[in-house]
Structure formats: C-alpha cells, structure tokens
C-alpha cells in the first residue's frame, strides 16, 4: 500500500490557487480541479497505489485508487495564456473525469514502475506547483518536486508516470513546444495530474490502512 495525495487546487478555500505547469513572460499553463457532483474538496486528496506482493505482471490493484468515490468525479480545468507584443490569448479546456486516468493507470499495476510509485509517495516538495508563479516562477526542476502522471498512451501499461515526464520535458525543451502545449488541449485530454507525498493528506498512513481493512497496524 503506497499512500499519496492528489493536488486538487480549486477547492472550497483555494478557489484562486492554480496548479502551475509553466509560467514566464510569454506563457502560463496550469489547472484547477472541479467536481461534476458540485461538492467541495480539499487541496490535497488522499489516494493510494496498492498491489499484491508476488502477483503477476497483469495483476489488478486490490484497492481503489481514491479514498472516496467523489474523487472519481473530478475534472481538471486547464488554462493556457500566451502573451505577445500585440495581444494576449486565453485557451481553456476541461479534462475527462479523473476516473479515466485512475482506471487506465491503476487498474493493472503489476507492470508499474516501483521507482515511480515510491517517488510519488515521497514527493514532499510537491507544494512547489502551488506557489504563486509571479513570486516563484516554476522551472523544470521545481515542478519535478511533484510526481506527474497521465493516461496516455492507453496501450502503454505501467508507463503513465514516465509518459508524463516526457511530456513535461518536451514542454520545457523549446519555445515552440511551450506554445503548442499552451494552445492545444493535450494536457487536459491526457489528464496531466500532479501527485505528492501522502503526508499532505494522511501523515501516518494509518487512516489509509484502516480504510483498506487492516486490523493490526505497525507505524514507524
């Protein structure tokens, strides 16, 4: 059981907080999260990556990724801004429900990279993606404080963290790639999502273990 937290900016007390992917004098790209059910949600949502030890490569996750079913009804609202000498353009796209990425990434977990899963649950510097970009502009290294995942490609099981990293590398590789990412809907279409240390939502992991059905728990 690997405990993580979803970064879900846009909740009740964080309406003005944006999860920022890129921000400079030319472009801004980021997202906030909203619910199809109209319910409020915390800034950090508890989640988990679970696998049965000794299972086959095609083994399925024994526990749902989200701690609460309301999590599956969330969507990301991506906003891209492009500034030029003459004008500023705004591009907005809403993602499919996050259940899509959770089903794709965590239904079959036997082939998931252990390093990526552990990195996600240890991403204690993930708060960097929520900092005011005008004060602390994000860089490729700073946004790596969070683990990122996406739901593409569908036929590449176990590579959802790796594919997200490649997409971020491409975004920061050139101005042309940056502009393309801001203008098109790829980040929203693929549910690019930041995941951080589980301590942000469950400091000990005990709550997640109890919710998973554990009756004897050792915490250290």
């Amino acid at each position: 059981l690997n405990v993580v937290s979803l970064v879900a900016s846009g909740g009740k007390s964080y309406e003005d907080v944006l999860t920022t992917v890129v921000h400079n004098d030319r472009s801004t790209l980021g997202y906030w999260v909203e619910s199809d059910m109209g319910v409020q949600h915390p800034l950090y949502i508890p989640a988990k990556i679970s696998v049965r030890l000794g299972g086959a490569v095609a083994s399925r996750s024994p526990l749902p990724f989200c701690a609460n079913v309301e999590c599956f009804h969330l969507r990301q609202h991506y906003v891209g801004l492009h500034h030029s000498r003459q004008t500023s353009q705004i591009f907005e796209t809403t993602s499919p429900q996050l259940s899509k990425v959770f089903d794709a990434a965590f239904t079959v977990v036997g082939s998931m990279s252990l390093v990526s899963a552990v990195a996600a649950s240890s991403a204690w510097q993930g708060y960097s993606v929520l900092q005011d970009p005008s004060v602390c502009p994000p860089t490729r290294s700073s946004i790596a404080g969070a683990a990122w995942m996406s739901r593409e490609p569908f036929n590449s099981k176990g590579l959802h963290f790796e594919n997200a990293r490649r997409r971020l590398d491409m975004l920061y590789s050139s101005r042309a790639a940056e502009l393309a990412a801001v203008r098109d809907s790829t980040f929203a279409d693929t549910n690019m999502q930041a995941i951080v240390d589980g301590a942000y939502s469950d400091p000990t992991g005990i709550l997640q273990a109890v919710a998973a059905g554990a009756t004897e728990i050792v915490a250290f």
Side-chain angles (χ1 to χ4, degrees), residues 8-17 40-43:
S9 49
K12 183 176 182 180
S13 302
Y14 304 93
E15 292 90 346
D16 300 326
V17 178
Q40 299 291 346
H41 56 270
L43 180 60

Side-chain angles (χ1 to χ4, degrees), residues 16-97:
D16 300 326
V17 178
L18 190 72
T19 303
T20 308
V21 182
V22 67
H23 177 83
N24 53 45
D25 58 356
R26 303 178 304 273
S27 306
T28 299
L29 179 65
Y31 72 84
W32 73 81
V33 174
E34 55 192 1
S35 172
D36 283 349
M37 300 175 66
V39 299
Q40 299 291 346
H41 56 270
L43 180 60
Y44 298 105
I45 297 178
K48 54 192 171 296
I49 303 170
S50 60
V51 63
R52 294 189 187 281
L53 296 179
V57 172
S59 61
R60 299 173 66 86
S61 177
L63 300 170
F65 180 68
C66 285
N68 189 308
V69 294
E70 293 175 353
C71 171
F72 291 104
H73 296 277
L74 298 175
R75 296 178 188 268
Q76 296 153 294
H77 190 81
Y78 261 93
V79 179
L81 304 174
H82 177 63
H83 313 288
S84 65
R85 293 180 179 179
Q86 294 78 23
T87 185
S88 294
Q89 295 175 290
I90 302 177
F91 306 88
E92 299 185 63
T93 311
T94 301
S95 76
Q97 287 185 343

Side-chain angles (χ1 to χ4, degrees), residues 98-123:
L98 289 183
S99 58
K100 301 295 184 181
V101 64
F102 302 151
D103 288 345
F106 300 116
T107 298
V108 179
V109 294
S111 59
M112 178 179 291
S113 165
L114 176 61
V115 172
S116 297
V118 172
S121 69
S122 303

